[in-house]
Amino acid sequence: MRIYNNIATRVISPIVLLLCIALGGCQKDAFNPEKVQATYEDKFPVKDIDPDQNWKMTKQVAVEIAVYEDQLTDYTVNVYDNDPADSTIVADNAVHLLASGIANRSLKFNTLVTCTNLLDTLYAARIDPVGRIIYKPMPISNGYAGTSFGNNTGSSTRAATRSITIPEISRPYSDSEIESMLDIAEEYVSGTQMDAEINAGTASQKVYKITSSTPFTINVKNSHPQGTIKLIIANGANAQHEAKEVIPSGVELIVAAGATFAVAGGSQQTPSMVFTGTSRLVVLGGDNPGHITGTGWIEFNNPGVTNYNGGVIEGFDGFNNKGGTFYNAGTIIAKYIFDTEPNIESLFINHSCLEATTSLGASASNAPIIENSCKLVAGTIGGSGKANGIIYSAGLTMGDNSSLHCGDMVAYNYLRMGNHSIIKSDGTATFNNCTVSGETGGEYAMLQLMKKSNVSKSSFSGNIYIETTNSNTFKNCISGGITFAKPGNAPVISNDTNCTFENYPETSPEVIYPAPLPSYTYVFEDNFPMVGDYDFNDIVLDVTIDYDRNSSNGITATKLSVTLTAVGAAKTLGAGLRIVNVPRSQLGNYALSGADASRFQSSLTNSLFGTSEERDNAYLTIPLFGDAHAVLGVPAGSITNTEEDGLTVATRTLVITIPQTGTDQLITKDNLDFFIGYQYKGMQKRMEVHLYEFWNYGATAKGTIQQTNLDLAGNNTWAICAPDFIYPNEYINICDESDTDNCGYPMFLNWARNRNVNQGWFQHPNDKNVYRKKGELKY
């Protein structure tokens, strides 16, 4: 509160005069209780305070973190109040380190942390000896938040016993069976009487073969019962297909091991070859697999039929599966691998390599179901190792140790990830109405999302590492073992094999943002037992809390950094700290340090605060300073750091180290009773202003709180503590019911009347009416 004094004139506010009258005169202690109470109620900026309002904006949470990873390795574990890897949040200084310790397979990290009442989730981070960090959210429930990293049964990097098995079918024909059929087969020559006999159903042969390189056309037009006609391109043949055509029901085209089949060109609208009805394609593998090449499109419009590739199909513009099943045990490479039949889901079962150099899946509405036990690729892999294609899936199952590498990714319905499976998206990953699940007791799978992620009506659960730079996108839709990491930080190792691409964690990972400790701002009104002007800047202290821990996470000392930030009062003000609910006998001798320590200590001489500790009901009271103006180095009575055009000086910081006899966590924010003290009238004891939550502890041994006045004040308050508080300018009331534009915090009113609403009021100041601006707190 600002008071003007000079030799000639003394201006006393009407409020002070009114209260002096209510108290029965400024020179006497006698007062009229009813008038005092009425004055308090009238002058406090909120008239109808919530009877349950305790003015407390923080809560205490018990945290437990376990790490079940490599044996004999100690991991650093941190607790944050927000996503530590979200660059947008970090840029706003909105991520704070709440606690740090050690965990390994035999040691958990248990601690108490303080956070704002707003939070329903904390973040736990595990940092390995190299500096790689993985992290996950921890929901807060009934004052507890806990989680674990890795598997309690083994290392998270080991290969796993298969738990998601993709169905396998055996090779349709063995080499000996093919040889037997070739022995009785008749050489197929298109454009002859043979075609007429086959179409008429009068042909004596059911098996035909092509053994030469003569161009041909399959001129079978009529449908037949399934499997009636077999056309085998034999080992050593280099068959040339010369026309676009439809393969009717009943015809099975078999490309034997060692055979080559070149298909004529065509487009998506006019495919090179269309399999319809019960017709079927079989390409056999082996040491010298069957080989189909072409530049056009192959279409499979044969629902209910399983086409089979154990060889190589490559070079095509497109590969269109419209409602059937295509089983791949070999290699398929095409620009487009589609399902273009609306509302009829096709199925791709992949046990080897399926690669679409442009797009796997036609669109969001025409997406296939894919079951993958080996390698899927969407896009070409450039020199940077990045894919540039897209995959659409109406359901994707990743078998154990399988992989998918793509550019963009659009996943619907479900995505199941088996043990140690890996999906890498180098573009935008979209999850729409998708249930993403990993195994609950197996090894971790990994989603590497290198760029943007879009999540809508989806959920994520199970043992999956998600490498991303924006885990906040997933905040409200994850459960179970979901663990986040920045790209290159997840402990997943895979080699470049037939079924996986190479992945090794970074050996020199990017250092995660070194989040500051949270700062708690204590602001005081200095006029008690009189009413104040409620700009809450007469004394402003910024406080951080840290701990020294031993190798077992036991606490050996508490370290408090106390910064005197502002003095918005003319009178001489001092401050102290009482440690409540901790017996003095459990604390050692505290030490004061820091570049400004001498300023604080010298201000205590000849003040209302002594230079040594005080005892109060066996509690420790530490004198902080006796004259705030002296600490800041400004003339007595100077209003400092509260006016935009007023006196501005550097803040001053005192570091207090408090050792303790045991290793339990004795001191938290809830034990820190910061208060201010000043001379009131001719009283021998200093007048003290404490936070409302500490009123029941009374004054310290050298002070008074005028208990009778406090009783009349109800739950009005002359001090509050808010996280990272941006305090009001001089003369600006914290709230103004009649003019919310002319106050520091418009939402303060609603919160004061109902502590369950607008709990984030302190995050929404009137910027023009506060001294310190958002983002200026650099701790």
Side-chain angles (χ1 to χ4, degrees), residues 497-569:
T497 66
N498 290 335
C499 287
T500 58
F501 51 83
E502 184 178 280
N503 184 83
Y504 290 96
E506 292 280 356
T507 56
S508 300
E510 177 186 354
V511 177
I512 196 165
Y513 174 76
L517 297 171
S519 177
Y520 303 103
T521 306
Y522 292 78
V523 292
F524 297 87
E525 283 289 298
D526 70 345
N527 222 26
F528 182 81
M530 295 184 288
V531 295
D533 57 1
Y534 298 106
D535 54 9
F536 283 101
N537 64 18
D538 295 340
I539 287 290
V540 180
L541 301 176
D542 290 314
V543 178
T544 64
I545 308 169
D546 201 3
Y547 301 97
D548 290 337
R549 298 179 185 267
N550 60 26
S551 59
S552 299
N553 295 319
I555 294 174
T556 58
T558 301
K559 300 182 72 172
L560 306 174
S561 177
V562 182
T563 298
L564 176 57
T565 300
V567 183

Side-chain angles (χ1 to χ4, degrees), residues 449-463:
L449 309 178
M450 308 305 287
K451 289 187 178 179
K452 181 181 178 181
S453 299
N454 299 318
V455 178
S456 175
K457 299 179 182 179
S458 298
S459 63
F460 297 76
S461 64
N463 290 353

Side-chain angles (χ1 to χ4, degrees), residues 100 111 544-550 553-560 586-591 655-668:
S100 183
T111 192
T544 64
I545 308 169
D546 201 3
Y547 301 97
D548 290 337
R549 298 179 185 267
N550 60 26
N553 295 319
I555 294 174
T556 58
T558 301
K559 300 182 72 172
L560 306 174
Q586 295 186 25
L587 302 177
N589 294 323
Y590 65 88
V655 178
I656 309 169
T657 302
I658 309 172
Q660 60 184 63
T661 56
T663 57
D664 293 335
Q665 191 168 3
L666 300 178
I667 300 175
T668 69

Side-chain angles (χ1 to χ4, degrees), residues 79-304:
V79 182
Y80 298 95
D81 60 358
N82 221 320
D83 182 347
D86 189 322
S87 57
T88 58
I89 298 176
V90 168
D92 290 336
N93 289 326
V95 179
H96 301 98
L97 176 64
L98 303 185
S100 183
I102 295 171
N104 54 45
R105 293 190 71 86
S106 59
L107 176 66
K108 295 180 180 180
F109 179 50
N110 292 91
T111 192
L112 296 173
V113 301
T114 299
C115 65
T116 74
N117 291 331
L118 297 170
L119 292 184
D120 57 12
T121 301
L122 300 177
Y123 282 78
R126 185 281 284 151
I127 306 172
D128 69 11
V130 177
R132 294 178 289 248
I133 181 171
I134 59 177
Y135 56 100
K136 59 172 60 175
M138 298 187 296
I140 301 171
S141 177
N142 298 320
Y144 171 83
T147 193
S148 63
F149 294 94
N151 297 303
N152 198 11
T153 56
S155 168
S156 64
T157 60
R158 296 193 186 108
T161 303
R162 296 181 68 89
S163 61
I164 292 184
T165 302
I166 306 302
E168 295 187 62
I169 63 175
S170 58
R171 193 172 189 255
Y173 302 103
S174 66
D175 288 341
S176 59
E177 287 174 320
I178 292 295
E179 290 300 323
S180 297
M181 286 189 288
L182 288 173
D183 286 343
I184 63 171
E186 183 177 347
E187 187 76 24
Y188 178 75
V189 181
S190 60
T192 64
Q193 181 63 26
M194 182 183 297
D195 288 332
E197 293 173 353
I198 293 173
N199 286 319
T202 59
S204 59
Q205 292 291 324
K206 305 294 183 182
V207 181
Y208 299 88
K209 61 185 177 183
I210 296 175
T211 58
S212 68
S213 59
T214 302
F216 74 95
T217 299
I218 302 174
N219 287 316
V220 179
K221 305 300 181 185
N222 294 338
S223 297
H224 297 266
Q226 186 171 0
T228 299
I229 306 296
K230 296 185 188 310
L231 176 57
I232 303 172
I233 300 175
N235 180 13
N238 186 10
Q240 306 289 319
H241 182 241
E242 62 180 353
K244 305 168 188 175
E245 61 181 313
V246 174
I247 310 300
S249 284
V251 177
E252 183 175 30
L253 177 61
I254 302 170
V255 181
T260 298
F261 180 28
V263 178
S267 65
Q268 182 179 357
Q269 291 71 31
T270 310
S272 311
M273 187 174 287
V274 180
F275 290 83
T276 61
T278 61
S279 61
R280 180 191 189 201
L281 173 66
V282 173
V283 184
L284 297 177
D287 293 337
N288 184 18
H291 199 153
I292 299 181
T293 61
T295 58
W297 284 71
I298 297 181
E299 181 177 298
F300 299 89
N301 193 359
N302 52 356

Side-chain angles (χ1 to χ4, degrees), residues 277-561:
T278 61
S279 61
R280 180 191 189 201
L281 173 66
V282 173
V283 184
L284 297 177
D287 293 337
N288 184 18
H291 199 153
I292 299 181
T293 61
T295 58
W297 284 71
I298 297 181
E299 181 177 298
F300 299 89
N301 193 359
N302 52 356
V305 174
T306 298
N307 301 283
Y308 176 92
N309 174 51
V312 177
I313 301 175
E314 64 178 347
F316 287 90
D317 289 335
F319 195 88
N320 196 357
N321 186 13
K322 301 176 69 172
T325 298
F326 202 99
Y327 185 96
N328 180 49
T331 298
I332 299 177
I333 302 175
K335 288 182 180 179
Y336 302 94
I337 299 178
F338 277 179
D339 166 15
T340 59
E341 190 66 27
N343 304 317
I344 299 179
E345 294 174 338
S346 62
L347 172 63
F348 286 97
I349 301 175
N350 180 51
H351 279 275
S352 188
C353 177
L354 184 65
E355 179 177 344
T357 59
T358 300
S359 178
L360 177 51
S363 65
S365 60
N366 294 319
I369 295 174
I370 304 171
E371 297 178 358
N372 176 45
S373 74
C374 196
K375 180 182 286 188
L376 295 175
V377 179
T380 55
I381 311 300
S384 63
K386 296 180 179 180
N388 58 4
I390 185 170
I391 179 172
Y392 299 93
S393 72
L396 173 59
T397 302
M398 298 287 293
D400 296 347
N401 303 305
S402 64
S403 70
L404 161 63
H405 193 179
C406 61
D408 295 337
M409 174 181 179
V410 182
Y412 293 87
N413 297 330
Y414 64 86
L415 167 57
R416 294 183 60 207
M417 299 194 69
N419 292 316
H420 215 259
S421 59
I422 302 177
I423 294 177
K424 182 178 182 180
S425 169
D426 290 318
T428 298
T430 299
F431 303 90
N432 193 351
N433 286 293
C434 187
T435 299
V436 181
S437 60
E439 296 304 287
T440 56
E443 301 294 338
Y444 271 71
M446 182 165 67
L447 273 171
Q448 289 183 306
L449 309 178
M450 308 305 287
K451 289 187 178 179
K452 181 181 178 181
S453 299
N454 299 318
V455 178
S456 175
K457 299 179 182 179
S458 298
S459 63
F460 297 76
S461 64
N463 290 353
I464 303 175
Y465 290 117
I466 302 179
E467 287 195 342
T468 176
T469 57
N470 187 16
S471 59
N472 231 27
T473 303
F474 303 84
K475 179 180 178 182
N476 297 317
C477 55
I478 64 172
S479 61
I482 296 295
T483 303
F484 295 101
K486 296 190 75 172
N489 280 243
V492 175
I493 297 173
S494 66
N495 296 314
D496 189 4
T497 66
N498 290 335
C499 287
T500 58
F501 51 83
E502 184 178 280
N503 184 83
Y504 290 96
E506 292 280 356
T507 56
S508 300
E510 177 186 354
V511 177
I512 196 165
Y513 174 76
L517 297 171
S519 177
Y520 303 103
T521 306
Y522 292 78
V523 292
F524 297 87
E525 283 289 298
D526 70 345
N527 222 26
F528 182 81
M530 295 184 288
V531 295
D533 57 1
Y534 298 106
D535 54 9
F536 283 101
N537 64 18
D538 295 340
I539 287 290
V540 180
L541 301 176
D542 290 314
V543 178
T544 64
I545 308 169
D546 201 3
Y547 301 97
D548 290 337
R549 298 179 185 267
N550 60 26
S551 59
S552 299
N553 295 319
I555 294 174
T556 58
T558 301
K559 300 182 72 172
L560 306 174
S561 177

